[in-house]
Every structure is written in structure tokens, then in C-alpha cells.
Amino acid sequence: MKFNNVKMWRKALCLLLVTLFAVSALAGCNKNDDDLPPYTDDSSAESSKESSAVSFESSIISTPESSVDFSVIESSEGDSSVVESSQEESSEIESSSAESSEDESSTVESSQPEESSKPDEPDIEINQNPDKSWGNGYRPSPFDYGYPTPENIENNIFWDSLVYTGYNMDKHIADGLMWEYILAGSKAEKGWLSKIGYAGGSLGYETTAEGKPDIEFFEKHGLVCASYLAYVYFNYLPNVCGIDTSVLEKPTLSYSANDWYIACKKWVEDGYSRTIDFKATKVSGFIKYEPAEEIPIGSILCFRDVTNTTSNFCRHVCIYAGYKNGYHWVYHVGNDNGPEFCAVERMTFGEGAQWPTAIFATPDFILEAMNK
């Protein structure tokens, strides 16, 4: 009797263990798709997968209408590729069970929708900073500063540097002849020019006791093309505008155009400037000037003697003022008029005709300052 009781207890214990095992197995089926093991080429696994697929499909059909996300259906046309790739994936899953697990994995991966080729948007877009300040990743577009636009071609520090010499810009504008080419010999009578003439008695660096450009000194001793650049870049910009240009290589002789050419090449070497490609051809005596890109206001343009076709020895330098009314305008000193406007297209006319040889873009830090 005792033996039978022991036997019965053993059977009961075995039945309890079987029951617990079954319960734990059912509980283990409650997993997310990400937790499922990789697909294997096993017929029983295939049938189990088909069964679960049917079960999943039925659960979709039985979803209450109120909970369906119709935004997916009404999404952009590009989302249709997701639906199509999903259908392709389904057909590939139902293909022959003879495929290996590796092939199946690559098939599933290839059926995923391709990522959009559109580049990531920058954190801060160009022209989206209302105060146009340089910081937090913002960099203005070229048309925010330094390039000839209706807004800034007559409102920039290089324009102001010409006015500072005593050039009567107000009268020039009032006469209605702004950006109209006027022959050099006809300008003196118009009352626009400053009292600074063409002469080599100044370095361009001279300052007053207050540390400002010494215009009276220039009026007495004159300026040439190169010393005018020295006045603008190493006198007016730092001493009037507060732009420190001391990092830029100075020409050995401030009044030598070729020394300026050499110094500008050093600006490029030091990473402060760059050269801009251009094409120049002679058409009916004029220079047809075709820069590869828009030239920033303040860029330095270099010229050689038009008769010297064997070297780029620089004979004339000037500052780019902008493109207007068919001309590439410059600020320069090239004759008895002293500081004035001229145009690249007209540089082949008159005594000492010149031909363009190089464009050195305005240093970036100066363009930044122009934007402030």
C-alpha cells in the first residue's frame, strides 16, 4: 500500500512538472519582433512563420477603424516605395525553402526602402539669422556682404574710403552720372575729385596725431596706385573701420605695384585670400573681362603693361568696386585725377595702357567685418 502511494506521488509530481514546463513555454512566446531568432531554413520553422504571418494579418484586419493611422495612406508619393518593398519582401520570404539563411538575410536587407539622397539640412541655414551675426555656425551667403548688389555697391567700406579722401560722392550721384563712364580729362570740371593728385611722395601709411589717415599729407605729396592701396588696406581699414589687417603681408615698397602683387600672392599662401580665374580678350579696343565668378568688392586687381606679353610684372593695381551698367568698376589712382573710379574694360586706352593679370579676392575676415 505504501509502495502504491509512492508511485502515485511520483506520477503527480511528473504531471506537475509537465504542466509547469508547458506554461513557461507559452509565456516565452510573448516577444517583440526584434527578439525573434534569425530565420533558418527549417520546414517546421517555415510553417510556424507562415502561421504567425496569418495570425498577424488577421490581427490587422480586426483592428478597429478608429485606430487606423490614415496619415500613412495619405502620405507623399515617396512613401509608396516602402509599401512596394514590403510586398517584395513578403514574396521573397515565401520563396523556396531551399535558400540558405545567409541568402535570405541579404534578400531582406536589399528590400528595405532606400534612404533619401537629400543631404542633411544644416543646423543654421544661410540667411536665416536676422541680425546676420557670425556665430553659432552661421555664415552669410556671398550676397550678404562684399559682392556687388543694389544694396551694397554704394554702401561699403571701400566706397567710404574713397569718400574719406575728399571725393565728392554726393555731387557725383546728384549729377546723375553714377556708374556712367566719364573720360578722365572731363572729371576735374565736374567738382567730384579730391585735392589729392598723382605723385609718389606718400607711403599711404601716414597718420595724424589722432591716428587717422593724414589726408592733408596726401594732398600735399600725392598718391600713386600702389600707395592708394596702402592707404586703404593698412591705414583706413584699421584706423577708421577698426579692422586689424596686420596679419596681411605688407609690400616691401608700398608704392610699388609689383611689390603689391608679390604681397598678395603671400596672402594666398597664408590662407587669407585666393585667386579668381578670369578670361580677358580684346574687342574693338576694349577689354572683354570675364571672371569665372563674381568678384568680391575690395578685391585687388593687378595689371601688366599691355605691350609686355612675356611676363606678369605688375605695373598697376586697383581695388574692385563692383559690376554695374556693363562695366567692372575699380577704385584707383592712375592719372592727375588722384583717387577716382575707372573701369577694367577701358584700361587699354590712353597712355600707359594696361592688361589684367590677376585677381586676389578680398580676405575673408575683411568680408566678415563688412557684414557687421
Side-chain angles (χ1 to χ4, degrees), residues 68 72 85 96 112 119 143 183 217 257 295 322:
V68 176
V72 175
S85 65
S96 172
Q112 296 301 320
F143 293 98
L183 294 175
F217 186 92
I295 305 172

Side-chain angles (χ1 to χ4, degrees), residues 166-372:
Y167 190 95
N168 194 340
M169 200 74 76
D170 289 339
K171 189 173 189 307
H172 193 157
I173 294 172
D175 288 348
L177 296 173
M178 196 72 243
W179 311 117
E180 298 292 335
Y181 192 85
I182 307 298
L183 294 175
S186 303
K187 293 180 181 179
E189 63 189 32
K190 296 188 179 300
W192 304 341
L193 303 174
S194 70
K195 297 177 183 179
I196 301 173
Y198 184 90
S202 303
L203 297 176
Y205 302 142
E206 291 83 0
T207 59
T208 64
E210 293 76 24
K212 303 298 181 184
D214 195 340
I215 301 303
E216 289 187 6
F217 186 92
F218 301 152
E219 291 173 350
K220 292 177 182 178
H221 301 279
L223 289 170
V224 295
C225 65
S227 56
Y228 178 74
L229 265 64
Y231 149 70
V232 173
Y233 265 87
F234 294 109
N235 198 341
Y236 181 81
L237 293 186
N239 298 324
V240 177
C241 301
I243 302 173
D244 184 5
T245 58
S246 61
V247 296
L248 299 175
E249 181 82 6
K250 284 185 176 181
T252 302
L253 299 175
S254 66
Y255 46 85
S256 166
N258 196 62
D259 282 2
W260 267 95
Y261 175 63
I262 295 170
C264 287
K265 289 196 290 185
K266 188 66 166 58
W267 295 4
V268 174
E269 182 182 327
D270 292 343
Y272 294 114
S273 180
R274 60 188 175 83
T275 57
I276 295 176
D277 293 334
F278 67 92
K279 180 181 178 182
T281 53
K282 196 170 184 178
V283 179
S284 301
F286 294 85
I287 297 174
K288 184 179 180 182
Y289 196 56
E290 300 175 284
E293 60 184 90
E294 291 196 77
I295 305 172
I297 293 173
S299 296
I300 293 177
L301 276 55
C302 297
F303 296 78
R304 61 169 171 81
D305 191 297
V306 73
T307 62
N308 184 3
T309 58
T310 59
S311 78
N312 283 333
F313 187 89
C314 183
R315 298 297 299 270
H316 187 61
V317 287
C318 49
I319 297 174
Y320 190 71
Y323 182 80
K324 188 82 170 181
N325 292 343
Y327 285 108
H328 290 277
W329 296 93
V330 296
Y331 305 110
H332 86 149
V333 174
N335 50 57
D336 291 338
N337 290 339
E340 62 168 355
F341 288 98
C342 192
V344 173
E345 288 77 5
R346 306 283 306 210
M347 289 287 187
T348 50
F349 292 99
E351 186 179 351
Q354 303 293 317
W355 191 259
T357 58
I359 305 172
F360 295 97
T362 316
D364 281 347
F365 71 89
I366 294 177
L367 294 179
E368 293 176 18
M370 289 177 67
N371 184 60
K372 294 180 180 178

Side-chain angles (χ1 to χ4, degrees), residues 2 31 53 57 61 66 78 106-107 144 273 280 311 330:
K2 288 182 180 181
K31 293 184 178 181
E57 182 179 359
I61 296 174
S66 59
S106 63
T107 302
D144 282 335
S273 180
S311 78
V330 296

Side-chain angles (χ1 to χ4, degrees), residues 81-149:
S81 63
V82 177
V83 177
E84 292 172 359
S85 65
S86 177
Q87 292 173 346
E88 292 172 2
E89 181 179 349
S90 176
S91 63
E92 288 167 352
I93 291 175
E94 294 172 0
S95 63
S96 172
S97 60
E99 295 177 359
S100 67
S101 60
E102 181 178 353
D103 292 338
E104 181 68 14
S105 175
S106 63
T107 302
V108 173
E109 288 179 2
S110 65
S111 66
Q112 296 301 320
E114 295 183 359
E115 294 183 2
S116 172
S117 60
K118 183 179 179 181
D120 294 337
E121 296 294 335
D123 293 336
I124 302 177
E125 295 182 0
I126 288 176
N127 293 329
Q128 296 301 310
N129 193 339
D131 62 358
K132 295 183 179 180
S133 59
W134 283 67
N136 300 322
Y138 171 76
R139 182 177 178 84
S141 79
F143 293 98
D144 282 335
Y145 64 88
Y147 287 76
T149 70

